[in-house]
Amino acid sequence: MEAAVRPSVARRGPVSERLNVTSTGRADGPVLLLAHGFGCDQGMWRGVLPHLVADHRVVRYDLMGAGRSDTSAYDPDRYATLDGHAQDVLDICAELDLRDVTLVAHSVSTMVAVLAALQEPGRFRQLVLVAANPYFLDDPATGYSGGFSTADLAEVSAALDSNYFTWAEAFAPVIMGVPEEPELGEELTASFCRVDPDIARQLLRTMFTTDYRPLLPRVATPTLLLQCRADAMVPPSVGDHLHAQLAGSTLVQLQAIGHCPHISAPEETAAAIRAHLLTLR
């Protein structure tokens, strides 16, 4: 039997150590802060890095519980909502004195980015939200299709409670969405299985059950939305909803298939990011 979520502990040490913050590229260049998605770590951005580091300072980190983050500092109360992860982003910016930041976020971290930008809008130059979904559950009352029904959620919850690792092995290739490149699905599976299962369960349940749609009209930070084809986690209509609710946003439909274009199509993803950066110079 897997262990229960550990009790609350006090945060310890600088955030750059707790979350394995790294910085590459031009030290005096415009700042790109990259926030990875569920079950991943900062290494998943490696394909886009060569296209960004020549003229930007690229800062990456591992979400609490992922990669080389210090899981001994995990506090289930702090991370009971995505606000704790948003505070981590703001703590990184404060500790490194990052200003005029372009925050590039994938999957669950897209709503972390929204929360951080709402709390400190002056800190961010723009948001780049990759495969974003503000609410994963269908809402028949409004006609919103988030991609998952309540029955789907019950099935996912049962699988998580039964055995996280078995669930990860089955679900990660579906999320990657490129069966013709099975090695990518295998890489994502291995990444899922490296995450602390208790932390993963809490983050996944928060991701699935929290509705961030009411926050979207409040976001004033310029935003680029990168959505993919045949994304098992994000129906096409979600991109349209985000675009309609985020004032002044730009929606780009990538040719990439699946939920992780920065892994399966890094050149296309990096080109879309760079094209948007150029428009705001």
Side-chain angles (χ1 to χ4, degrees), residues 47-150:
V48 304
L49 280 183
H51 306 280
L52 303 175
V53 294
D55 49 5
H56 287 82
R57 179 184 179 186
V58 181
V59 179
R60 294 177 294 161
Y61 73 101
D62 294 327
L63 269 69
M64 175 53 69
R68 298 177 63 186
S69 63
D70 180 8
T71 57
S72 70
Y74 180 70
D75 182 342
D77 293 330
R78 174 182 173 86
Y79 297 106
T81 69
L82 294 187
D83 295 270
H85 294 283
Q87 188 58 54
D88 284 344
V89 168
L90 298 176
D91 289 348
I92 290 170
C93 291
E95 186 172 296
L96 301 184
D97 194 25
L98 304 180
R99 303 177 184 277
D100 208 24
V101 175
T102 295
L103 178 51
V104 183
H106 173 241
S107 192
V108 67
S109 284
T110 59
M111 294 303 107
V112 171
V114 164
L115 289 165
L118 285 174
Q119 187 166 337
E120 291 189 22
R123 179 75 71 174
F124 301 100
R125 184 172 189 239
Q126 57 194 310
L127 304 179
V128 178
L129 308 184
V130 183
N133 194 336
Y135 190 42
F136 284 89
L137 293 181
D138 298 336
D139 183 4
T142 63
Y144 175 84
S145 175
F148 294 83
S149 66
T150 53

Side-chain angles (χ1 to χ4, degrees), residues 172-265:
V174 176
I175 293 175
M176 180 57 70
V178 284
E180 67 278 9
E181 297 182 75
E183 68 279 5
L184 295 182
E186 293 167 2
E187 179 183 7
L188 190 61
T189 298
S191 179
F192 273 31
C193 290
R194 287 193 295 269
V195 179
D196 182 295
D198 296 327
I199 297 175
R201 284 193 191 94
Q202 184 174 33
L203 178 57
L204 198 66
R205 286 198 170 96
T206 298
M207 180 181 83
F208 268 109
T209 60
T210 308
D211 185 357
Y212 292 99
R213 290 177 297 167
L215 300 182
L216 301 178
R218 296 167 46 196
V219 178
T221 306
T223 301
L224 170 65
L225 300 164
L226 299 182
Q227 301 295 94
C228 305
R229 297 187 296 131
D231 185 341
M233 300 294 291
V234 186
S237 59
V238 169
D240 295 331
H241 178 84
L242 286 162
H243 185 37
Q245 295 298 311
L246 291 166
S249 61
T250 301
L251 173 61
V252 173
Q253 179 69 57
L254 300 174
Q255 291 302 304
I257 294 174
H259 189 60
C260 305
H262 55 306
I263 302 172
S264 61

